[in-house]
Amino acid sequence: MLKEKLADIEKKALSSFEKAQSTQDLYNMKVAFLGKQGELSLLLREMGKLSKEERPAFGKLANEVKRRLESHYLKRESELKEKELEERLAQEALDLTLPGPPRYLGAKHPVAMVIDEMVDIFARVGYSVRTGPLIEKDKYNFEALNIPEDHPARDLQDTFYIDEEHVLRTHTSPIQIHTMETEKPPLRILAPGSVFRCDSDISHSPNFHQMEGLLIDKKVSMADLKGTIAFFVKEFFGEGLKTRFRPSFFPFTEPSAEVDCSCPICMGQGCRMCKNSGWVEIGGSGLVNPKVLSFCGLSPEEWQGFAFGFGIERMAIIKYGIEDIRLFSENDTRFLRQFAR
Ligand code: PHE
């Protein structure tokens, strides 16, 4: 009986639609039952077996079955689509808690770090910062500092001359002169800056930095100078480090001393940095030469002072154990990154 076969096809189709686990499965089932070669089409071809009177009723019945199956198909399809979307979302979910690729932040250059730290330490005992020009008159770089015409420092070998009268400053000491000329003592100033000398090897760079210090007051002695430097060394390199003065000569100080501190790398035990001596040199110092005071219009009867000049790269080299002064100006981020805090 065709009617029973029709009911049977509907039942089978409904249950296979229900069983389909993916939209692809479901589609295959639709083709199998409702497609051109599907079971329903094949059944309809058997309609010829029916009498003329029976045919319209059966055709109507078959169309109803087709509509019901089609609407069931659509319903089931949307269920499966939903399910498949959920599965995909679960599978492709991003773990937002995973760390991203590292990003390097900028960091202060070690020369700037030393300058800032020195300025902080000296600010606590009343010093404030001054600066001066990189191109100086011979007068400020040499003459006012009592450096005579025939002094070796003036030699073309050491000094970059701009013209007859101007040089790239070879030290920060000219800032002493500018300050004493324009300000009234008492003075406590710190002057960081770039300096230039015609010199280049593993421990000399044609451009490096110095920190000048100058104190002018009524009564100033070597004891004040040594006390100030000992205080600074302890604050900068750490407790327990000693300071040592060695007699020296600078035309603009009298007496003059070279300043050493116990090597902060080996704590004075002797190592490569201090060439086994236990001591490292950090700069020059002394009491301001009365001739320099007079040149600036200060009476040596009334005023006295001390001055010091430290090499900033030198301080960083000692503090961080850096081997080659040229690293400071190469701007290799692998070197600079190590100083990021
Ligand atoms: N200007 C000297 C130098 O460059 C250092 C110094 C500064 C020495 C102040 C004494 C006092 O070598």
Side-chain angles (χ1 to χ4, degrees):
M1 274 299 288
L2 286 191
K3 263 192 191 172
E4 272 134 37
K5 277 195 187 168
L6 183 64
D8 197 39
I9 287 174
E10 180 173 15
K11 226 174 97 190
K12 275 200 301 182
L14 280 178
S15 99
S16 11
F17 286 0
E18 220 39 64
K19 274 188 212 140
Q21 285 307 306
S22 67
T23 47
Q24 183 62 51
D25 258 12
L26 182 67
Y27 181 75
N28 294 342
M29 291 304 136
K30 181 181 158 186
V31 172
F33 289 101
L34 302 174
K36 273 189 192 135
Q37 303 296 321
E39 294 199 27
L40 191 62
S41 306
L42 295 179
L43 184 69
L44 288 176
R45 275 179 218 160
E46 290 180 41
M47 261 170 75
K49 289 179 189 164
L50 294 175
S51 66
K52 258 191 183 153
E53 295 72 36
E54 284 173 311
R55 266 179 230 163
F58 182 78
K60 199 175 157 227
L61 216 55
N63 272 333
E64 279 166 14
V65 167
K66 196 172 177 197
R67 261 198 299 105
R68 279 203 297 276
L69 286 179
E70 268 164 357
S71 92
H72 190 78
Y73 171 81
L74 289 176
K75 190 176 135 251
R76 183 67 185 141
E77 188 190 38
S78 81
E79 279 172 18
L80 288 174
K81 268 191 183 153
E82 180 113 342
K83 188 183 118 198
E84 282 169 0
L85 180 65
E86 267 165 29
E87 279 168 5
R88 231 182 83 197
L89 287 178
Q91 217 171 55
E92 293 175 3
L94 292 179
D95 183 351
L96 298 178
T97 65
L98 283 176
R103 246 207 286 167
Y104 295 111
L105 296 181
K108 246 188 222 171
H109 191 281
V111 166
M113 277 169 57
V114 170
I115 291 177
D116 289 354
E117 204 178 326
M118 287 186 81
V119 168
D120 279 353
I121 293 169
F122 277 99
R124 279 152 48 199
V125 285
Y127 288 71
S128 56
V129 171
R130 300 292 184 281
T131 54
L134 301 185
I135 296 176
E136 281 286 9
K137 284 205 164 101
D138 181 281
K139 174 186 159 191
Y140 287 95
N141 197 77
F142 297 126
E143 208 185 312
L145 288 160
N146 191 39
I147 302 173
E149 203 77 66
D150 56 1
H151 193 278
R154 291 198 179 201
D155 203 309
L156 276 170
Q157 301 272 303
D158 296 324
T159 306
F160 290 111
Y161 280 86
I162 301 288
D163 57 32
E164 291 280 298
E165 207 191 340
H166 296 90
V167 301
L168 286 182
R169 71 179 177 201
T170 58
H171 51 180
T172 42
S173 300
I175 303 171
Q176 290 188 34
I177 309 300
H178 291 299
T179 308
M180 286 189 277
E181 268 187 356
T182 54
E183 297 182 43
K184 280 199 159 44
L187 295 168
R188 288 180 186 204
I189 64 124
L190 210 55
S194 210
V195 302
F196 305 86
R197 287 182 202 175
C198 201
D199 208 350
S200 185
D201 62 43
I202 188 164
S203 54
H204 296 90
S205 161
N207 173 213
F208 60 103
H209 298 77
Q210 285 187 331
M211 180 69 83
E212 195 80 9
L214 174 71
L215 177 144
I216 302 287
D217 215 319
K218 296 277 175 179
K219 270 203 144 329
V220 182
S221 71
M222 283 300 270
D224 298 317
L225 172 60
K226 192 160 185 203
T228 301
I229 289 178
F231 157 76
F232 163 70
V233 163
K234 282 200 166 59
E235 294 298 309
F236 186 80
F237 289 113
E239 230 14 85
L241 289 182
K242 291 200 190 113
T243 313
R244 175 174 91 168
F245 276 22
R246 273 179 297 114
S248 185
F249 174 79
F250 300 101
F252 37 95
T253 48
E254 184 60 36
S256 302
E258 215 85 58
V259 182
D260 293 346
C261 78
S262 31
C263 177
I265 303 290
C266 62
M267 301 304 279
Q269 296 308 296
C271 68
R272 226 153 77 90
M273 175 62 71
C274 59
K275 299 194 185 80
N276 276 322
S277 69
W279 296 94
V280 286
E281 189 186 316
I282 57 178
S285 70
L287 295 188
V288 178
N289 191 319
K291 285 189 188 163
V292 174
L293 293 171
S294 300
F295 194 99
C296 298
L298 300 179
S299 161
E301 312 297 325
E302 195 184 352
W303 299 105
Q304 299 180 322
F306 65 66
F308 56 85
F310 294 162
I312 292 175
E313 280 82 356
R314 179 100 195 110
M315 313 269 286
I317 283 170
I318 296 166
K319 187 160 175 164
Y320 304 116
I322 298 161
E323 307 249 320
D324 186 340
I325 194 171
R326 290 170 293 202
L327 288 166
F328 288 103
S329 52
E330 278 171 359
N331 276 342
D332 186 330
T333 53
R334 290 168 303 177
F335 170 70
L336 296 173
R337 204 178 287 147
Q338 298 174 63
F339 301 92
R341 294 201 177 149

